Amino acid sequence: MRVAIVGAGPAGFFLAERLLARAEPAVGVDLLERLPAPHGLVRFGVAPDHEKIKSVTRSFDAVASRPGFRYFGNVEFGAEVSLADLARHYHAVCFTTGAQTDRRMGIPGEDLAGSHSATEFVAWYNGHPRFRSLAFDLSAERVAVVGVGNVAVDVARMLCRTPAELAGTDVADYALDALRASRVREVWLLGRRGPVQAAFTAPEVKELGELEGCDVRAVPEEVVLDPLSRAELERADDRATRRKVELLQGYAARAPSGKPKLLTLRFLVSPVALEGDAAGRVRAITLVRNELVAGPGGVLAAVPTGRTERLPVELVFRSVGYRGVPLPDVPFDERLGIIPNAAGRVIDPHTLHPTPGLYVAGWIKRGPSGVIGTNKPDAAETADAMVADFEAGRLPAPAEPDPAAIERLLRERQPCLITFDDWKMLDRIESERGQASGRPRVKMTEQEILTKLGCT
Ligand code: NAP
């Protein structure tokens, strides 16, 4: 069975791992990636100061060393290679392209200068080649981060870390310089519901209390649980949520110790507008105070009370969730921002039946939820559906199954095709540069990579 996987992030590698672990049928897997470097969110999403999470790449290397695996980097689906091309060479094509853009707040002023998405900032500080030229005005002293998920926490932490803390990470060099020169002093994390409902997890909240150069606080009356939240917490009987609430209540009781920066966690407030100055730059965010009511299915929803407040800030990051983007010739559910599917089989929106040979895994399959490891069972489900379809004879036989034929085609379309051996050579260079400066790695730019490989 010949399989093409489009997108070399965690879901792509976990899918390859599952397919290649089988004795029968023998599977040949080609993993295609539009960027020169693999690893998707592990390289370009996971925060630089969360080095341990990145060790999962060792298991990706083990997958790549299995017979039957090939990596083709620097080749973009929809540009150098089309769905029709892949259908001619493979029994099955699986999209693992993640969620590459962000959701919006939908409020006036959202496009003012100084208002950005967290996805852009995260990709920028992680050296993503398509985001490295962005600029963030870190001469701002006050910053609001809208949303209280783990991405919002990453953004807040990166803004609050001291240069010394950042210097030992693999943050992009230009971002390290910009963050060193940062004048940010106050960061506000803004949650629209209460502490029980906040999407961030306890270990991430705990880490906020351990920052070297930043005090953390919460507003006492916002972390006192209302009767509905108390009931929700008791019903859930979930230790992790209890721990999270305790940590937040602890922060509300903490007196600032005089560290240079201050991070404030707010709850039950929604942004209603961004206010600009004469030059069109953000100068404040207007918040409305919410209360919680039981919505459909008992889920607690935030309802505005009408009481507003104005928070002076010069920089705003919205961190209200990622969103998938459509791919050429592939069905897309605009409402959910995913490829419509049933357990990984892509569904034709007209017939509502599976499209033979098309599959999805990861965030583009289920939406942007869970941690890196969540993609393992998710990819296994898709891999198993694919194999079951192959064994049942439901997959159309490709016209050109010879592995050499697709490689020839890709090299014609992209003379600078990057193999896994190329990547391992680049990986070694990045690690060696890191060792020389006490960092896990120093990331190469796309241009440096291409030059190193002799591509112009
Ligand atoms: P998320 O966990 O879905 O959090 C999104 C946050 O945005 C929620 O607090 C949500 O509040 C809020 N929100 C949505 N719409 C809003 C609006 N219009 N106004 C105000 N707030 C709004 O998404 P994420 O932080 O992007 O993370 C994505 C996934 O990656 C998550 O599963 C996360 O755990 C994972 N991740 C994990 C780590 C880690 O393990 N360290 C790091 C980063 C990311 P409501 O709940 O009220 O909707």
Side-chain angles (χ1 to χ4, degrees):
M1 176 165 71
R2 304 267 313 128
V3 178
I5 304 175
V6 178
F13 274 99
F14 287 136
L15 185 84
E17 181 177 36
R18 181 79 170 192
L19 289 170
L20 293 168
R22 302 181 63 98
E24 284 291 327
V27 185
V29 172
D30 288 346
L31 182 55
L32 276 57
E33 167 59 49
R34 66 180 181 148
L35 299 178
H39 301 159
L41 265 197
V42 176
R43 182 172 169 95
F44 297 117
V46 171
D49 59 343
H50 277 179
E51 183 54 30
K52 243 163 107 186
I53 299 178
K54 301 183 191 214
S55 60
V56 69
T57 58
R58 283 202 288 273
S59 74
F60 299 162
D61 285 350
V63 175
S65 68
R66 281 181 174 266
F69 178 93
R70 298 190 299 181
Y71 170 78
F72 295 126
N74 202 27
V75 54
E76 183 158 0
F77 177 83
E80 283 95 22
V81 68
S82 69
L83 185 56
D85 294 328
L86 296 183
R88 260 203 324 282
H89 292 85
Y90 300 94
H91 292 90
V93 179
C94 184
F95 299 99
T96 51
T97 47
Q100 296 162 39
T101 188
D102 69 296
R103 291 178 43 206
R104 293 177 61 85
M105 298 182 287
I107 60 171
E110 191 162 357
D111 293 318
L112 285 168
S115 165
H116 307 274
S117 73
T119 48
E120 289 172 340
F121 188 55
V122 168
W124 172 80
Y125 63 58
N126 276 319
H128 191 299
R130 299 192 184 180
F131 292 82
R132 65 187 310 274
S133 59
L134 295 181
F136 299 91
D137 183 4
L138 297 174
S139 69
E141 294 195 357
R142 290 164 297 192
V143 185
V145 183
V146 177
V148 283
N150 281 333
V151 171
V153 174
D154 283 349
V155 167
R157 223 180 41 250
M158 287 299 289
L159 290 167
C160 292
R161 288 262 184 226
T162 61
E165 284 174 309
L166 291 171
T169 73
D170 68 355
V171 63
D173 277 346
Y174 58 81
L176 183 57
D177 290 344
L179 287 161
R180 267 196 188 117
S182 159
R183 297 186 54 208
V184 170
R185 283 188 306 111
E186 277 179 25
V187 178
W188 300 79
L189 257 179
L190 306 173
R192 64 177 171 182
R193 298 190 290 159
V196 174
Q197 298 81 31
F200 49 42
T201 39
E204 279 65 29
V205 178
K206 181 165 180 284
E207 204 179 359
L208 292 179
E210 296 161 355
L211 295 169
E212 214 169 271
C214 182
D215 282 313
V216 60
R217 67 171 179 183
V219 179
E221 54 272 26
E222 291 176 355
V223 294
V224 173
L225 302 187
D226 62 291
L228 289 174
S229 293
R230 261 204 315 273
E232 180 174 289
L233 190 58
E234 271 159 31
R235 246 194 339 270
D237 192 24
D238 163 15
R239 276 184 54 190
T241 309
R242 270 183 207 284
R243 175 80 185 122
K244 186 173 72 181
V245 172
E246 278 164 21
L247 284 163
L248 294 168
Q249 291 174 339
Y251 294 159
R254 242 192 216 191
S257 68
K259 292 179 180 175
K261 292 183 185 174
L262 180 61
L263 169 63
T264 309
L265 295 138
R266 296 286 312 268
F267 295 97
L268 295 161
V269 286
S270 281
V272 285
L274 301 188
E275 185 189 311
D277 61 15
R281 295 202 51 81
V282 171
R283 69 169 176 194
I285 183 167
T286 306
L287 304 174
V288 65
R289 201 151 168 82
N290 297 325
E291 56 192 19
L292 294 176
V293 298
V299 175
L300 298 193
V303 173
T305 60
R307 272 183 292 141
T308 59
E309 65 182 281
R310 181 179 177 277
L311 190 65
V313 288
E314 299 90 42
L315 201 52
V316 173
F317 293 104
R318 60 176 181 277
S319 182
V320 295
Y322 283 70
R323 202 185 137 76
V325 295
L327 296 166
D329 305 321
V330 181
F332 191 69
D333 183 327
E334 277 297 341
R335 197 176 58 84
L336 298 176
I338 59 167
I339 296 175
N341 71 94
R345 294 181 175 96
V346 174
I347 296 294
D348 179 324
H350 304 295
T351 64
L352 300 183
H353 290 305
T355 309
L358 292 195
Y359 299 86
V360 272
W363 276 8
I364 194 67
K365 168 186 176 186
R366 68 174 195 279
S369 66
V371 293
I372 302 288
T374 314
N375 293 298
K376 199 166 181 162
D378 176 300
E381 179 186 55
T382 300
D384 294 352
M386 200 183 273
V387 170
D389 290 347
F390 178 76
E391 287 178 333
R394 287 192 285 266
L395 300 186
E400 292 186 72
D402 179 2
I406 182 70
E407 182 167 358
R408 242 184 344 261
L409 178 83
L410 294 177
R411 286 194 185 280
E412 259 166 50
R413 305 252 179 97
Q414 173 52 280
C416 194
L417 203 61
I418 296 180
T419 64
F420 210 75
D421 284 344
D422 293 333
W423 159 247
K424 287 311 294 174
M425 186 262 289
L426 300 166
D427 185 34
R428 268 194 304 279
I429 296 174
E430 288 191 345
S431 301
E432 281 163 15
R433 286 184 184 178
Q435 265 165 23
S437 49
R439 304 172 63 189
R441 71 172 60 237
V442 174
K443 286 182 184 170
M444 296 169 81
T445 65
E446 189 171 34
Q447 200 45 53
E448 265 183 292
I449 288 178
L450 297 180
T451 308
K452 198 58 112 198
L453 295 175
C455 310
T456 47

